[in-house]
Amino acid sequence: MSWTGHAADFNAWRDQARALYRAQLPPHQVHWDDAAQPSLLSDGGNLPAPVRAGPRVPKTLLAQLERAAACRIEQRWNLLYRVLWRVAEGDRSAMLAGDADGSQLVQRLTAVRREVHHMHAFVRFQPAPDGLPLDLIGWHQPRHQILRWVGDHFHGRLGRRRWLLATPDDGALHGDGEQVHWLAQCPPDWASAARGAAGEGDPMWERYFSSTFNPNRLNPQAQLRHMPRRFLAALPEGALSARLIQATRRGAAPEVVRSGAPLRIKSAPPAEAEPAEPHRDNQAGRADKDR
Amino acid sequence: MELIAKLSLLADAAKYDASCASSAAPKRNSRNREGLGASTGGGICHSYTPDGRCVALLKILLTNFCLYDCQYCINRRSSDVPRARFSVDEVVRLTLDFYQRNYVSGLFLSSGIIRSPDYTMEQLVAVARSLREQHQFRGYIHLKTIPEADPALVAAAGRYADRVSVNIELPRQEGLQRLAPEKSLSTIHSAMGVIHQAGETHRHATPSFSGRKPARLAPAGQSTQMIVGADDSSDAQVLTTAENLYQRFKLRRVYYSAYSPIPGAPGTVPHQPPPLLREHRLYQADHLIRLYGFGAGELLAGTTTLALDLDPKLAWALNHRDQFPVDLNLAPEQLIARVPGIGLRSAQRLVMLRRRRAVCFDDLVRLRCVVRKAQPFIVTRDYRPSRAEPESARLARQLRDPVPEQLGLWG
Ligand code: SF4
């Protein structure tokens, strides 16, 4: 017998996975679809009949599976069911890096953890426009479905401030000064205000960014290694960085670089080879972890 | 002067300090409380500039006026840079604004020395006090100490700041005497001692800025910075100095900053920067000393200079072939972490894995170890290096990192 499961989110997957395990359907007989099929889901009778109890797995595994499920990739459920099955059958190496399945699980957990960290780092808030019951608004586009894991962080930072953090396709977080709410549908005027704020620059920040940059150590590869282009491009420092790099390569005076202004070129610049980039895997404060 | 012009000058003047960490502060947050800010213990890099450096804190000087004349410093008395000075309130407002917009996780404040070391230190403390007491700011604060200031002021700084630090700048007294005549190694050491002692002894006696529970002064510990390539100190001198500081004052971090030739530099300092790769190798060696239990002496093995073309762990392993190969199914975790290409985390994961089943070669690939470097030094269930494994000199040639040519000349 084989089976096709349908799950749009973790809870839906967990309920079906439990039933399939109890019906003793091994992973190679189960295929998972990413889309929910409400007609099937609502019809519990469609699930095969249980022949045993379980699955019994460590609590940490459930938490890990839930976090790994936030990873937006195709076919996200097959691996999770395989890991669940193997661990429940007593093979705990399925949870460990090094194991073929375990490594994939750990990679997804790492991707999710990174994306959460990226969000902590690269979200920007702007003062909210008058008329909204908000102090700060932000717009961010995470790759994975992690919004629910960052609410606490921003709540802790912003205290009683009222804030909105909206995304293009995963709803929004709203801190009302006391609690954080996840809004599946962000009110359209809030969303458009947040989206608009994303494009707004801040002269103070841009000036700080240009002034703290050291042209003597120009190393754009290192910048991109730490700050993926998709984030850099979404922030004002993306365009600014391009100007700083250009000004530095053309040998502009320090105060010109610091101003962050685009170069006005009077005559054609001398043809110049790219400066050799020193081979550096790290930067001050973060040595290579795994060498 | 307009605020934005001051920001420009005083951020520029502060950028030669490499430290920007916002980690290791005690956990706190502003959930349902007046005020602003949190610290989670971990550091966050909110942006990266095109030099590849992280922006974690608003890093500025209170002023770049300075009575001293340190030759390597752009703010020295004899430099002709434009000068500016923030008011205490300006720094406070900038910090809060940058923080709530999520540009930074706090403030790193330093200063040129104006009027007197005590006066300057008082100003720095006033900023931190205002942030903590008036504004209930719970983000990260790092204050740079003036070594010559009254120890009571240094302790006061520790009451408000997560990290208080003093820069040693150069590893040896000779260098300081020549390039920073107003400074001395013994004053710097005693300032470090004051911070260290304050952390140890005031733990029980002093209330925290929130006035609630006794807190450790400067709970995120102290750090320092050494400039590399401004004088002729060798890697051995730099690393032994660092090792001593870690042991004596329990420093959290030593930062290495490749000397950046400053505009209008005097003839006493080089006009060329040292290779950035040298700074990188020092960071790698420092990492091995702090976290892997290596000694500086072990890494240098009788020489004074770290190889530029080999990472220090690989260089060490090539000098100690008698300790290899290491059997990944038997060796203690610490020894596995000494294998080139295998980091602390991978070592830990290998040990977890081998409790379930024997480790084989492909596990290393899946753990994303640097297999090319690890290969000659390990044994697994299904792999052992061939007996005809090349001798160290040849291995070194095979495994070396390419060094950009122009960078190999200096240092
Ligand atoms: S004391 Fe020396 S290093 Fe510090 S700002 Fe003054 S001149 Fe620069």
Side-chain angles (χ1 to χ4, degrees):
Chain A
M1 177 158 109
S2 73
W3 190 266
T4 302
H6 303 275
D9 61 32
F10 181 74
N11 289 342
W13 175 81
R14 189 192 49 207
D15 292 347
Q16 289 170 73
R18 189 186 291 131
L20 294 173
Y21 180 87
R22 288 179 182 167
Q24 219 166 344
L25 272 164
H28 66 268
Q29 290 178 21
V30 177
H31 178 79
W32 292 91
D33 248 358
D34 289 338
Q37 292 206 343
S39 60
L40 279 178
L41 278 182
S42 56
D43 188 356
N46 262 333
L47 287 166
V51 297
R52 61 172 171 177
R56 285 174 58 87
V57 295
K59 258 214 182 95
T60 50
L61 179 66
L62 262 195
Q64 285 180 348
L65 293 176
E66 186 172 4
R67 277 184 87 95
C71 202
R72 248 194 271 226
I73 51 170
E74 303 233 323
Q75 307 279 336
R76 62 178 132 170
W77 307 116
N78 289 334
L79 172 75
L80 303 191
Y81 188 63
R82 219 157 47 232
V83 172
L84 177 76
W85 178 275
R86 283 181 56 197
V87 174
E89 299 285 286
D91 178 9
R92 288 213 185 172
S93 56
M95 299 171 66
L96 297 179
D99 178 85
D101 290 332
S103 289
Q104 279 191 60
L105 177 69
V106 168
Q107 272 167 32
R108 289 187 199 178
L109 290 171
T110 307
V112 167
R113 184 163 34 79
R114 282 221 181 106
E115 199 65 0
V116 167
H117 192 74
H118 284 145
M119 196 151 180
H120 291 169
F122 302 139
V123 159
R124 297 291 185 257
F125 289 105
Q126 303 291 344
D130 293 342
L132 294 184
L134 294 165
D135 302 313
L136 297 162
I137 47 176
W139 176 260
H140 189 78
Q141 188 159 11
R143 178 171 282 170
H144 304 305
Q145 287 170 312
I146 52 165
L147 205 56
R148 49 196 290 210
W149 282 300
V150 300
D152 232 31
H153 176 82
F154 288 111
H155 190 195
R157 279 178 75 101
L158 295 173
R160 297 234 162 96
R161 307 270 195 291
R162 298 163 307 164
W163 52 273
L164 175 77
L165 179 49
T167 68
D169 51 10
D170 194 22
L173 285 178
H174 171 217
D176 63 9
E178 281 172 14
Q179 281 178 349
V180 180
H181 312 271
W182 182 67
L183 311 174
Q185 295 298 330
C186 184
D189 54 332
W190 290 22
S192 70
R195 195 191 291 263
E200 262 170 47
D202 172 5
M204 290 300 266
W205 167 244
E206 293 184 26
R207 186 64 75 89
Y208 176 71
F209 188 86
S210 324
S211 304
T212 200
F213 157 62
N214 186 346
N216 282 330
R217 302 176 62 112
L218 184 68
N219 192 346
Q221 280 93 333
Q223 180 188 29
L224 282 177
R225 205 161 32 238
H226 295 294
M227 193 172 184
R229 204 181 280 281
R230 67 193 158 105
F231 297 116
L232 190 58
L235 296 172
E237 50 260 48
L240 178 56
S241 292
R243 295 203 296 276
L244 295 175
I245 293 165
Q246 189 201 38
T248 305
R249 291 206 168 129
R250 296 237 163 92
E255 54 285 4
V256 175
V257 177
R258 237 176 16 228
S259 76
L263 276 192
R264 263 180 281 124
I265 302 159
K266 293 203 186 90
S267 56
E272 199 188 305
E274 298 256 304
E277 298 297 344
H279 177 85
R280 291 195 305 153
D281 300 329
N282 76 356
Q283 40 100 39
R286 183 179 294 182
D288 241 5
K289 296 268 158 31
D290 237 30
R291 297 288 132 97
Chain B
M1 194 186 285
E2 265 188 85
L3 191 60
I4 194 164
K6 290 190 193 177
L7 179 63
S8 193
L9 287 174
L10 295 171
D12 181 88
K15 74 185 173 198
Y16 299 96
D17 202 308
S19 152
C20 198
S22 59
S23 50
K27 290 195 164 93
R28 45 179 192 249
N29 68 71
S30 301
R31 246 162 253 141
N32 302 320
R33 299 164 75 180
E34 288 311 314
L36 181 73
S39 84
T40 57
I44 301 177
C45 290
H46 289 271
S47 196
Y48 287 87
T49 49
D51 52 22
R53 280 183 161 172
C54 132
V55 181
L57 303 171
L58 171 62
K59 179 163 63 177
I60 47 178
L61 299 191
L62 191 60
T63 177
N64 64 343
F65 286 102
C66 192
L67 295 169
Y68 286 16
D69 205 34
C70 312
Q71 302 288 287
Y72 46 77
C73 177
I74 190 160
N75 308 315
R76 70 188 185 285
R77 182 177 71 224
S78 58
S79 158
D80 61 359
V81 287
R83 308 281 173 167
R85 178 177 174 181
F86 280 127
S87 71
V88 168
D89 197 50
E90 283 170 335
V91 177
V92 168
R93 277 187 292 126
L94 263 177
T95 306
L96 296 173
D97 183 53
F98 273 32
Y99 189 93
Q100 69 171 7
R101 290 169 184 249
N102 210 42
Y103 299 153
V104 296
S105 285
L107 172 69
F108 177 12
L109 187 64
S110 178
S111 183
I113 297 169
I114 40 170
R115 283 200 226 169
S116 70
D118 279 359
Y119 174 78
T120 309
M121 198 65 218
E122 272 163 16
Q123 294 289 301
L124 295 176
V125 172
V127 172
R129 186 190 303 120
S130 167
L131 278 168
R132 294 293 196 219
E133 289 184 345
Q134 274 177 286
H135 299 276
Q136 301 288 306
F137 177 67
R138 299 182 189 86
Y140 196 91
I141 299 182
H142 178 170
L143 292 184
K144 193 112 269 180
T145 299
I146 315 294
E148 294 78 17
D150 184 340
L153 285 167
V154 177
R159 198 147 44 233
Y160 302 113
D162 293 295
R163 172 166 286 179
V164 174
S165 65
V166 36
N167 278 356
I168 188 164
E169 307 293 13
L170 299 173
R172 291 173 309 141
Q173 172 64 22
E174 294 93 293
L176 278 176
Q177 214 158 17
R178 198 166 63 81
L179 297 180
E182 285 99 347
K183 292 189 175 170
S184 93
L185 205 53
S186 63
T187 318
I188 292 168
H189 280 166
S190 63
M192 286 178 171
V194 169
I195 301 168
H196 179 47
Q197 275 308 314
E200 297 287 296
T201 56
H202 285 66
R203 206 181 312 189
H204 313 292
T206 321
S208 71
F209 66 85
S210 64
R212 270 207 238 156
K213 56 179 178 195
R216 196 192 145 122
L217 296 191
Q222 56 175 324
S223 62
T224 196
Q225 163 165 301
M226 254 187 271
I227 303 173
V228 177
D231 68 354
D232 57 2
S233 296
S234 67
D235 292 343
Q237 283 159 334
V238 169
L239 287 175
T240 14
T241 303
E243 199 175 35
N244 280 331
L245 295 176
Y246 284 129
Q247 283 162 5
R248 232 174 116 187
F249 304 114
K250 300 279 172 296
L251 290 198
R252 288 292 170 88
R253 285 297 302 269
V254 174
Y255 292 92
Y256 306 91
S257 179
Y259 172 68
S260 242
I262 41 173
T268 42
V269 282
H271 290 294
Q272 287 293 315
L276 289 179
L277 192 53
R278 182 178 173 204
E279 182 192 278
H280 178 57
R281 293 298 182 218
L282 284 168
Y283 271 116
Q284 287 181 314
D286 181 89
H287 193 71
L288 293 173
I289 293 171
R290 270 186 307 126
L291 303 176
Y292 286 70
F294 280 93
E298 267 184 294
L299 294 173
L300 285 151
T303 61
T304 55
T305 314
L306 293 170
L308 284 183
D309 59 348
L310 293 172
D311 75 71
K313 203 207 258 185
L314 179 57
W316 172 81
L318 289 169
N319 278 327
H320 295 82
R321 294 295 291 281
D322 53 312
Q323 303 199 14
F324 295 99
V326 161
D327 188 332
L328 299 184
N329 281 302
L330 300 172
E333 192 177 315
Q334 256 179 319
L335 190 56
I336 297 181
R338 286 195 163 215
V339 176
I342 301 183
L344 282 179
R345 172 121 84 158
S346 298
Q348 193 188 20
R349 286 178 164 168
L350 285 167
V351 170
M352 268 164 65
L353 187 63
R354 80 187 183 191
R355 289 198 200 116
R356 304 267 157 209
R357 61 163 172 75
V359 167
C360 22
F361 190 83
D362 277 350
D363 295 333
L364 292 182
V365 180
R366 284 189 290 261
L367 284 170
R368 300 188 169 173
C369 297
V370 187
V371 175
R372 188 176 66 96
K373 288 186 180 176
Q375 209 163 354
F377 301 100
I378 54 160
V379 170
T380 63
R381 195 190 63 189
D382 55 349
Y383 168 84
R384 133 180 317 279
S386 76
R387 275 178 207 290
E389 196 60 46
E391 33 102 25
S392 291
R394 233 183 80 208
L395 260 187
R397 278 196 299 281
Q398 285 167 14
L399 296 177
R400 67 196 285 276
D401 301 322
V403 176
E405 211 176 308
Q406 75 186 73
L407 295 176
L409 300 174
W410 173 279

